[in-house]
Amino acid sequence: MIDTLKKQALEAILNAESLEQLDEVRVRYLSKKGEVSLLMGKLRDIPQEERPQFGALVNSLKETIELALYQKKQGLEDQALWVALSKEKIDVTLPGYQLYQGGVHPLNQVIEDMEDLFVGLGFEVATGPELENDHYNFEMMNLDKDHPARAMQDSFYVDENLLLRTHTSPVQARTMLEKQGKPLRIICPGKVYRRDDDDPTHSHQFMQIEGLVIDESITFANLKDSLLTMVKHLFGPERIIRLRPSYFPFTEPSVEVDVSYQKKDGTLGWIEILGAGQVHPNVLKMGGYDPKKFRGFAFGVGVERITMLKYKIDDIRHFYTNDLRFLNQFKGASK
Ligand code: PHE
């Protein structure tokens, strides 16, 4: 009796041509009032000792039917998918969606370009936190708590010891400590903050690229050559630079660097672009380098300033107001 039922059920499953038909088979055999349940109901008419064996047989019948139903269902579903796919055609005449593509911000384009240049010259790219300790931002840079030169960099303090970094120079100190007295060459691009009223040439937030090289035989000539290479790369091979004596607490001697440009009347003009100098012995010492053995040079260049000069931009605020009419002009300019 069980065998006959099994045969019938499997045959019905095999012959089902659609998911609906298959479900009818399931109902007929496995639902509460289905054939298999009826069979279970017969348990009562069977002698006591044969009941366990009978029960087991009915259960195995149920499992066989369930498995067969499952497999058939998968088959029918696959088939339905194939039929649906073969009926569908792609209409290639429909116009596509226009996806809006952004571009790299002009400041980041200049930073990426500088990174490419300096990595090619053997520099590493270093980073540091924008929320910085007074210790790294000033003290390790040879600016004591009451150093008057702190006034050159009006700062946003969070508490007595924490501030938004006023320059990328603290990354010099951090890197020196990290390198533990080994020669190093880094550039460090990043945001800096100073208390300032925003106007066409001032912004309370701007970007710098710091450069630092420490080795045993570094001279001022190395600094000058690196800066000249940078300026020619940025603005063109016809440019030259001029160094003017200046003062920074962390470099000695210090210079301000101007880049040449041709004035309308054909004469040579100069525009200041960065500060630089030979690393001060105190800074070397605090960073763990013996100033008798090691020398270094450092520079800090304003990214907005060089970008404005490069692309003839007249207002620093354009970089931060997200006006697409401005930004779209730089799309595709990146390499
Ligand atoms: N940190 C200086 C500034 O922000 C720039 C600088 C860096 C000067 C390194 C000399 C050496 O003004």
Side-chain angles (χ1 to χ4, degrees), residues 129-329:
E130 287 169 31
L131 189 60
E132 186 54 285
N133 288 310
D134 186 279
H135 178 69
Y136 289 111
N137 194 80
F138 289 129
E139 278 162 58
M140 291 283 286
M141 288 290 107
N142 206 25
L143 281 128
D144 290 340
K145 281 255 185 279
D146 46 8
H147 198 297
R150 282 195 181 206
M152 284 158 73
Q153 302 191 357
D154 262 342
S155 319
F156 291 109
Y157 276 92
V158 174
D159 62 33
E160 236 173 87
N161 293 314
L162 270 183
L163 73 157
L164 292 175
R165 68 178 176 192
T166 55
H167 50 178
T168 40
S169 300
V171 185
Q172 286 193 32
R174 288 178 172 275
T175 312
M176 279 189 252
L177 293 176
E178 211 175 274
K179 295 279 179 187
Q180 301 191 336
K182 291 198 196 72
L184 65 85
R185 272 185 236 189
I186 54 150
I187 58 159
C188 162
K191 294 194 198 94
V192 301
Y193 304 83
R194 288 186 199 175
R195 262 181 29 190
D196 230 334
D197 291 329
D198 293 0
D199 68 22
T201 52
H202 293 88
S203 168
H204 61 282
Q205 176 196 314
F206 57 103
M207 289 177 126
Q208 289 188 329
I209 301 176
E210 190 86 7
L212 174 68
V213 173
I214 300 180
D215 213 326
E216 290 186 26
S217 53
I218 291 297
T219 70
F220 222 86
N222 297 123
L223 168 64
K224 196 172 172 187
D225 182 61
S226 299
L227 294 177
L228 191 60
T229 305
M230 180 177 103
V231 161
K232 286 182 185 293
H233 177 84
L234 266 174
F235 300 111
E238 72 287 359
R239 304 293 186 123
I240 51 174
I241 54 173
R242 177 173 83 171
L243 307 189
R244 280 179 293 108
S246 183
Y247 171 77
F248 298 102
F250 28 91
T251 45
E252 175 62 42
S254 304
V255 286
E256 246 144 51
V257 180
D258 301 336
V259 56
S260 66
Y261 73 99
Q262 190 152 29
K263 287 192 189 162
K264 282 208 181 96
D265 63 9
T267 59
L268 204 61
W270 296 99
I271 300 176
E272 183 197 325
I273 57 161
L274 60 88
Q278 200 140 346
V279 181
H280 195 289
N282 288 350
V283 174
L284 284 174
K285 241 184 269 171
M286 285 186 275
Y289 289 79
D290 178 0
K292 290 209 189 76
K293 199 169 156 208
F294 283 99
R295 284 162 181 232
F297 71 72
F299 62 86
V301 54
V303 181
E304 282 78 356
R305 193 164 172 80
I306 54 177
T307 310
M308 287 168 82
L309 290 173
K310 189 175 162 81
Y311 294 117
K312 301 192 167 57
I313 296 165
D314 59 3
D315 194 323
I316 195 171
R317 292 170 293 191
H318 286 315
F319 291 122
Y320 294 106
T321 38
N322 281 334
D323 186 337
L324 290 179
R325 289 169 303 179
F326 171 75
L327 293 173
N328 280 339
Q329 297 176 66

Side-chain angles (χ1 to χ4, degrees), residues 81-97:
L81 184 66
W82 276 106
V83 172
L85 285 178
S86 63
K87 272 196 208 140
E88 265 172 36
K89 289 209 185 77
I90 298 170
D91 182 355
V92 290
T93 63
L94 269 179
Y97 295 109

Side-chain angles (χ1 to χ4, degrees), residues 8-25:
Q8 280 173 2
L10 293 181
E11 217 167 83
I13 291 170
L14 196 69
N15 292 335
E17 280 173 9
S18 66
L19 288 165
E20 292 77 28
Q21 281 183 17
L22 190 68
D23 202 52
E24 281 164 20
V25 178

